[in-house]
Amino acid sequence: MTRELFGQIFTKELKPFIDEINSNNSMIELNDLAHCKNAAYDAYQELIGKYKERIFEKDTPEPLLDRHKIAACICGAFLQVPVFNKTALVEYITREKQKVEVYFYYVNEFVAFYAGIKFLSFFMIEDYIDNTTMVLNILKDFPLMPKTTKNKRGFWNSVLFNLSQVKDEGQIGVSHYDMYSYAMFFFQLEQYFGMAISA
């Protein structure tokens, strides 16, 4: 994916989402989005390069990764390049001992996951471009989140919590982000979506 295409998807799909989050909480501060866009693309290229090194032979001509691996690398890139500064929010939570919506506490993880989903859906639409019904389903409903059984916080909260552990150096550390597992995770989300809409 070229820097230009990455930038187009960022501007069209991610920026409105980021702006909406930003307008809903005065305690989070938006980082320089132009810098974030460029730094995220560079991080994405680095992750893509590592992925290709691990799974392709050195003499493979023009090795291409599937969309789930690309989504995993996009997610990892935005984990490395946070679009929000949460310092004021964390200070408020520490000082006031007040709960905030989990989406604000995990706001950068939410953006990273959303970015992976949006880039994945972009490539899904490319595959189904001749199937108008499927394209509309993807635009309207992807992803559908599986229901949780014992976990009362729900699937989204669990995903964001897990991604926050990646960001926590005391837990996993973003340098150890498991792009291989997340590629399978994005694959399973697409499979679940396909089964759910055809049921």
Side-chain angles (χ1 to χ4, degrees), residues 147-154 158:
K147 292 194 181 345
T148 55
T149 51
K150 305 278 183 190
N151 182 342
K152 293 186 167 73
R153 294 185 183 214
S158 297

Side-chain angles (χ1 to χ4, degrees), residues 94-107:
T94 304
R95 184 179 64 249
E96 302 295 330
K97 310 289 189 226
Q98 295 290 321
K99 290 184 179 179
V100 297
E101 286 292 326
V102 69
Y103 300 117
F104 291 118
Y105 191 72
Y106 298 137
V107 69

Side-chain angles (χ1 to χ4, degrees), residues 128-166:
Y128 292 103
I129 200 67
D130 295 326
N131 182 340
T132 305
T133 303
M134 187 61 165
V135 167
L136 291 174
N137 283 334
I138 293 166
L139 288 170
K140 181 174 170 257
D141 295 323
F142 184 76
L144 295 172
M145 294 292 150
K147 292 194 181 345
T148 55
T149 51
K150 305 278 183 190
N151 182 342
K152 293 186 167 73
R153 294 185 183 214
F155 193 86
W156 276 103
N157 287 357
S158 297
V159 170
L160 298 181
F161 174 79
N162 291 344
L163 287 172
S164 75
Q165 302 313 294
V166 171

Side-chain angles (χ1 to χ4, degrees), residues 4-122:
E4 181 182 24
L5 178 58
F6 181 93
Q8 288 171 357
I9 297 172
F10 180 94
T11 300
K12 186 176 177 191
E13 300 293 337
L14 299 184
K15 188 176 181 305
F17 177 72
I18 292 165
D19 289 341
E20 182 180 351
I21 293 173
N22 189 48
S23 69
N24 281 305
N25 192 319
S26 61
M27 288 183 287
I28 55 175
E29 181 183 345
L30 192 59
N31 291 328
D32 178 355
L33 283 188
H35 169 76
C36 290
K37 178 174 65 175
N38 288 324
Y41 181 78
D42 292 341
Y44 159 76
Q45 285 295 325
E46 186 178 328
L47 288 169
I48 284 285
K50 286 180 184 175
Y51 217 134
K52 287 180 178 180
E53 281 177 18
R54 301 253 166 78
I55 65 171
F56 291 115
E57 298 292 330
K58 290 191 179 195
D59 57 351
T60 303
E62 295 186 44
L64 295 174
L65 296 177
D66 66 46
R67 60 179 168 249
H68 312 102
K69 294 177 180 68
I70 289 170
C73 291
I74 291 288
C75 183
F78 280 95
L79 287 175
Q80 289 181 37
V81 182
V83 298
F84 289 107
N85 180 332
K86 301 186 307 182
T87 304
L89 178 67
V90 172
E91 287 173 355
Y92 169 80
I93 293 168
T94 304
R95 184 179 64 249
E96 302 295 330
K97 310 289 189 226
Q98 295 290 321
K99 290 184 179 179
V100 297
E101 286 292 326
V102 69
Y103 300 117
F104 291 118
Y105 191 72
Y106 298 137
V107 69
N108 287 312
E109 291 81 5
F110 194 20
V111 170
F113 180 65
Y114 185 83
I117 288 295
K118 277 301 167 187
F119 276 80
L120 174 57
S121 67
F122 175 82

